[in-house]
Amino acid sequence: MTDENLSQERMSELLDSGEATPMLAGTEVGPTWYAGRWWYVPVEAAEDADYQPADPEKAERFDSLRRRAEAVERVQAELDGRQ
Amino acid sequence: MTPRAELREPSRDELAAAQQVVDLFAAEALLALDRYERSFPAAATDKPRRTADRLAHWWRRLEVDDVRLDPHGTDAEQILAKAVEMSVDPDNEWGVSLEEASAQAVNQAAIEGRTLPVSSMADLRKQFDDAYGGRADVPARDDEWLARSLTRFARASVLRDVVAEGAHVRVSGPLREAADDLVRQGQQLMDDRTNLARRQEAPISRREVLLRQARMTSAFFAYTMGVGLTGAPMWAELAMKVPALAVYVKGTNDAWMDHSNAVATRLDPAQAQLRSVRKGLADGLDTPTPATRRDTRALRNSPTHRPTQGR
């Protein structure tokens, strides 16, 4: 682990405490917002590899994906409220 | 110290699994759109406009404008892509019909020199009916199935695009357990028909990869059906509410049976007997609801679940 990385265990603690927020609710590992930046585990890395910060270009795409994920959850909540 | 895991396969496994889930929900959304379109009286002249408005409404609400609907994808995805294109086109006042969208999808494939879509809406309806045997429990409210299936499609597409960005995604424990249930119900869940057909010939070292990919697909599928799932859901009941699930399980079983029949001539008697047992199990999966209810009753009546009060 480098100074720039976070272990999955540490990220799990941050998620539990609410300091970090997952992009996709219901995931144990995935893009996560913490300390004003996006963190992720590269898919080609080992299963238990550390989180690393996203570069600006990837962070921009993660922002866009987060907006889409939020839209899905809003519609889902509306549909669930219909029942 | 926890031993480090081996380096994983490249992201193509995750991406293939995520794309397969997108394909399934695209097919479901198309069936839902078809049902919505057919809910209008035959003489309704505003049917194309109202169908387009509904599709465009949910498409925009879900903010999937920039979703990559693959024009090279499955037949269902190609038709849905064309239907969406027509629906959100501000210059198209007429609206959309699936008949027209199907025709345009074929034309576009021909112009671009791609393989033409071969499945018609009638084929997709038949596939759906075959999977359900007329027992599907789709929402009664006019556009609710469309809204729900598009929501599942949108969630699957986000997941797919996150994976495409090179980010590892692992769903929560309860959802993985739910996915394991799905694998059991589907008996032999493989990632796609091509790999399925190769399975028996695959070297031992490759089988582990295939199994992992199958589990990945089912986990993504379970995630996409709703992150509110906890514990082991009643899959047979859920299948009634998420039509793509039954199509998925049936397709997997069909592919497995096709392959089994194809290799039958190479089996010795003992292998043939095993195959027969396996086929019996697979046939049993065609009627999942009674089996599941029976299992539930058995579970409820088991000694470990009987109330102990008053003893």
Side-chain angles (χ1 to χ4, degrees):
Chain A
M1 173 176 164
T2 70
D3 290 343
E4 273 291 288
N5 291 359
L6 286 169
S7 69
Q8 291 190 23
E9 189 179 16
R10 175 63 184 144
M11 190 60 90
S12 180
E13 291 170 359
L14 292 166
L15 287 164
D16 288 344
S17 69
E19 292 174 78
T21 310
M23 179 194 290
L24 306 171
T27 53
E28 280 179 357
V29 175
T32 303
W33 182 255
Y34 169 66
R37 63 204 297 194
W38 284 107
W39 301 74
Y40 74 109
V41 176
V43 76
E44 70 277 8
E47 187 80 23
D48 58 353
D50 292 340
Y51 276 81
Q52 66 182 44
D55 63 39
E57 284 184 5
K58 195 176 285 293
E60 194 174 323
R61 292 193 291 274
F62 282 163
D63 282 339
S64 168
L65 287 165
R66 175 169 62 175
R67 284 193 292 275
R68 281 170 51 192
E70 288 171 346
V72 168
E73 298 315 322
R74 276 196 302 275
V75 172
Q76 183 74 60
E78 179 188 324
L79 294 171
D80 291 345
R82 281 183 178 188
Q83 290 182 326
Chain B
M1 179 178 157
T2 306
R4 303 290 291 186
E6 292 178 16
L7 272 181
R8 307 171 64 244
E9 283 284 300
S11 62
R12 65 174 187 275
D13 285 351
E14 273 99 339
L15 201 52
Q19 181 59 48
Q20 190 179 17
V21 178
V22 171
D23 293 344
L24 280 159
F25 286 122
E28 185 187 347
L30 193 61
L31 285 161
L33 185 64
D34 175 56
R35 177 172 175 267
Y36 182 75
E37 183 184 47
R38 289 189 295 144
S39 70
F40 292 101
T45 54
D46 61 348
K47 180 165 68 172
R49 185 63 263 156
R50 289 173 67 184
T51 302
D53 286 348
R54 231 17 7 209
L55 179 56
H57 167 79
W58 289 116
W59 198 256
R60 292 189 176 114
R61 286 287 314 280
L62 288 161
E63 297 186 25
V64 277
D65 290 345
D66 57 347
V67 165
R68 293 176 289 113
L69 259 176
D70 187 0
H72 301 256
T74 60
D75 292 354
E77 199 166 359
Q78 290 187 52
I79 299 170
L80 183 64
K82 189 52 74 175
V84 168
E85 184 184 313
M86 293 171 72
S87 298
V88 300
D89 178 0
D91 297 328
N92 173 19
E93 294 179 359
W94 175 73
V96 70
S97 75
L98 285 180
E99 187 181 353
E100 179 64 22
S102 301
Q104 289 201 20
V106 170
N107 286 342
Q108 186 167 337
I111 291 167
E112 294 174 2
R114 290 187 276 112
T115 306
L116 304 184
V118 293
S119 298
S120 65
M121 282 311 302
D123 295 329
L124 291 170
R125 277 185 219 126
K126 183 175 185 309
Q127 185 186 6
F128 178 65
D129 290 341
D130 287 349
Y132 271 92
R135 292 179 300 137
D137 177 22
V138 296
R141 198 190 295 257
D142 57 1
D143 73 334
E144 181 142 355
W145 184 20
L146 178 62
R148 288 193 179 278
S149 57
L150 282 173
T151 302
R152 288 190 274 267
F153 167 80
R155 182 179 280 121
S157 71
V158 172
L159 186 64
R160 188 263 322 265
D161 291 350
V162 167
V163 173
E165 277 300 324
H168 176 44
V169 174
R170 189 166 70 227
V171 301
S172 66
L175 277 163
R176 285 204 303 277
E177 289 171 21
D180 284 345
D181 262 10
L182 182 60
V183 172
R184 280 191 286 273
Q185 287 231 357
Q187 189 197 16
Q188 297 289 342
L189 185 66
M190 288 290 108
D191 58 321
D192 60 37
R193 292 180 182 223
T194 308
N195 279 334
L196 182 69
R198 284 204 303 260
R199 183 174 177 272
Q200 285 206 338
E201 289 78 19
I204 298 295
S205 61
R206 180 68 181 149
R207 286 184 191 170
E208 191 58 37
V209 174
L210 293 177
L211 183 61
R212 189 176 70 212
Q213 196 169 345
R215 290 191 178 283
M216 206 179 297
T217 299
S218 60
F220 285 172
F221 199 94
Y223 173 82
T224 305
M225 282 194 289
V227 293
L229 288 174
T230 54
M234 298 286 287
W235 283 106
E237 287 182 16
L238 196 61
M240 296 293 123
K241 295 173 181 169
V242 184
L245 177 57
V247 175
Y248 185 37
V249 169
K250 183 177 186 305
T252 304
N253 275 341
D254 286 351
W256 176 248
M257 298 315 297
D258 288 349
H259 177 59
S260 296
N261 292 335
V263 300
T265 53
R266 299 203 302 270
L267 298 178
D268 64 29
Q271 286 174 313
Q273 192 173 6
L274 281 172
R275 189 175 71 83
S276 171
V277 170
R278 190 174 60 206
K279 182 176 187 313
L281 286 169
D283 289 346
L285 288 167
D286 286 342
T287 53
T289 304
T292 304
R293 285 180 180 157
R294 187 172 65 241
D295 290 347
T296 305
R297 281 199 300 275
L299 190 66
R300 195 184 299 130
N301 295 333
S302 70
T304 54
H305 284 76
R306 283 179 190 152
T308 53
Q309 198 172 10
R311 286 187 181 177

